[in-house]
Amino acid sequence: MPGPLLNTLKGFSQEIAPVWLMRQAGRYLPEYRALRAEKGGFLTLVYDSDAAAEITVQPIRRFGFDGAILFSDILIVPHAMGQGLEFLAGEGPRLSPTLLEANLEDFTSAHERFDPIYETVRKTRGMIGESVTMLGFAGSPWTNATYMIAGQGSKDQGPARLMAYRDPERLQAICDAIVDVSITYLRGQIDAGAEAIQLFDSWAGSLAPDEFERWVIAPNAKITAAIKQSHPDTPIIGFPKGAGAKLPAYAVETGVDAVGLDETLDPVWANSVLPEGMPVQGNLDPLLLEAGGPALPKRVRTVLEAFEGRPHIFNLGHGIGQFTPIEHVEELLRAVRG
Ligand code: CP3
């Protein structure tokens, strides 16, 4: 029996919206911080399938979310393509050498780095109840390219955007390579037990309209088409953060089954421009969840009401922040589930 989250993704509205939260496995949870302190760094946890499965299940145990998202990171794809990857405490990811200093051909691909991730999916699927949906994911090619080119998070994705104008063929080759590896990776996750997948395009919002077509819509459409061919029954959620008015084009042209909305979008507007019956996910501001107070349940109701009659998965507009009080998450669940 598929659970309420999977049913929603298949187009069936539920009386009570299913809920999961982006970054639900992570630092706001004391049990995550404890395991991380015991095992060492973030990447050690990701490649340790027992630890990663345990972390994936932690928020399900505590809150009873309807979906379990694989504990991993989008940058595992660049790492498997042979780029060096480290997470510096308090600073975030570092990829080396960058694609300003080196070419893709200089890297030795290491797809065996995907094996422990598949194992995490398999283990987690065995640990959660049948009604909890196992979610896999990958970063979208553009977002991964911005990290591979700059070697780290960048203020406005400047290095990748400059490459898009100065040397589009080079960026095209990079995105094509990420597309190919991501297809392999997502198929592996589905074969291991992922029942739906999400494509995270966290930096989609930094692109001008024509650029958005080329670097966001086109590569996501390629991934979606390939997954549809091999795994037609696995729903795909696209999350083009910052897409703004380009959301309806993204929703239709990529071929994704559902769209994740960031918190800047008015849900009433989104509901009016998206194809009828297309499932949506979102879109409470993660900072409102952190702040709490009477505005929190009020906003939850506004979002739920905006999507009445449309298949809707309740989520945040972006990842949950590390300083979010546990009680605010509990309050959010009460507000959604009544
Ligand atoms: O949602 C989940 O709970 C599943 C796991 C998950 C992580 N990262 C774990 C993580 C997922 C789906 C991601 C996606 C991800 N990673 C994105 C896309 C979504 C988004 O948030 O925009 C991006 C851009 C990354 C790259 C990344 N990973 C950055 C920039 C950082 C450092 C900043 C930060 O938030 O710490 C990470 C580290 C990271 N990924 C942590 C976790 C739990 C924190 C690691 C730690 O210090 O314990």
Side-chain angles (χ1 to χ4, degrees):
M1 266 282 284
L5 202 165
L6 193 56
N7 275 327
T8 305
L9 288 172
K10 301 224 167 185
F12 304 103
S13 291
Q14 308 294 299
E15 206 164 320
I16 295 172
V19 197
W20 70 281
L21 303 182
M22 288 187 275
R23 289 284 182 95
Q24 66 188 17
R27 283 173 298 194
Y28 73 108
L29 288 177
E31 56 269 39
Y32 168 77
R33 295 195 299 267
L35 196 60
R36 199 184 116 151
E38 181 196 319
K39 299 265 182 182
F42 171 67
L43 214 47
T44 310
L45 293 175
V46 167
Y47 286 128
D48 175 339
S49 314
D50 287 311
E54 169 61 23
I55 294 166
T56 305
V57 178
Q58 281 174 348
I60 311 301
R61 240 183 245 134
R62 190 187 265 273
F63 301 114
F65 289 126
D66 296 286
I69 182 148
L70 164 67
F71 178 78
S72 179
D73 199 84
I74 63 163
L75 300 175
I76 297 308
V77 164
H79 202 209
M81 291 170 80
Q83 196 170 25
L85 174 64
E86 280 182 289
F87 282 85
L88 307 181
E91 286 188 54
R94 290 291 183 279
L95 292 148
S96 59
T98 71
L99 287 179
L100 297 173
E101 301 155 345
N103 295 310
L104 276 182
E105 299 72 47
D106 303 330
F107 298 157
T108 310
S109 69
H111 287 200
E112 67 281 0
R113 286 182 172 141
F114 289 147
D115 294 339
I117 313 291
Y118 301 149
E119 191 53 28
T120 302
V121 175
R122 227 172 273 123
K123 287 200 162 117
T124 307
R125 187 55 277 176
M127 288 162 76
I128 55 181
E130 223 183 288
S131 64
V132 180
T133 300
M134 181 71 216
L135 300 161
F137 71 89
S140 285
W142 165 251
T143 289
N144 260 328
T146 66
Y147 286 98
M148 293 182 80
I149 292 163
Q152 60 186 75
S154 49
K155 201 173 125 274
D156 51 7
Q157 296 74 53
R161 286 166 60 205
L162 278 172
M163 189 186 287
Y165 291 121
R166 284 181 176 146
D167 195 353
E169 278 75 41
R170 183 160 151 69
L171 182 58
Q172 189 68 58
I174 293 169
C175 285
D176 287 347
I178 301 171
V179 164
D180 286 346
V181 179
S182 302
I183 291 167
T184 304
Y185 182 43
L186 289 167
R187 285 178 173 157
Q189 292 180 39
I190 297 168
D191 290 339
E195 299 163 278
I197 57 177
Q198 175 154 319
L199 299 170
F200 282 91
D201 222 341
S202 303
W203 301 126
S206 60
L207 290 168
D210 292 351
E211 300 294 294
F212 185 87
E213 283 284 331
R214 180 162 184 183
W215 308 115
V216 171
I217 293 186
N220 283 303
K222 277 190 209 157
I223 294 177
T224 302
I227 301 297
K228 290 281 156 212
Q229 203 174 38
S230 56
H231 298 82
D233 298 329
T234 306
I236 301 171
I237 308 163
F239 175 56
K241 184 175 177 303
K246 305 182 209 83
L247 178 77
Y250 175 96
V252 173
E253 293 171 26
T254 55
V256 294
D257 298 279
V259 282
L261 311 178
D262 69 65
E263 70 275 8
T264 65
L265 293 173
D266 176 354
V268 173
W269 173 82
N271 189 52
S272 72
V273 295
L274 287 170
E276 203 184 319
M278 183 179 211
V280 295
Q281 178 173 281
N283 75 337
L284 188 88
D285 189 341
L287 289 180
L288 177 52
L289 182 62
E290 184 172 329
L296 172 59
K298 193 162 168 266
R299 185 68 197 169
V300 169
R301 274 194 301 279
T302 304
V303 173
L304 290 172
E305 278 166 21
F307 295 123
E308 248 167 43
R310 178 188 287 279
H312 174 216
I313 296 160
F314 200 92
N315 204 320
L316 301 175
H318 197 197
I320 183 170
Q322 64 171 310
F323 303 112
T324 308
I326 301 285
E327 308 79 63
H328 294 186
V329 179
E330 290 165 350
E331 174 154 23
L332 169 118
L333 285 167
R334 279 194 297 275
V336 175
R337 293 174 169 166

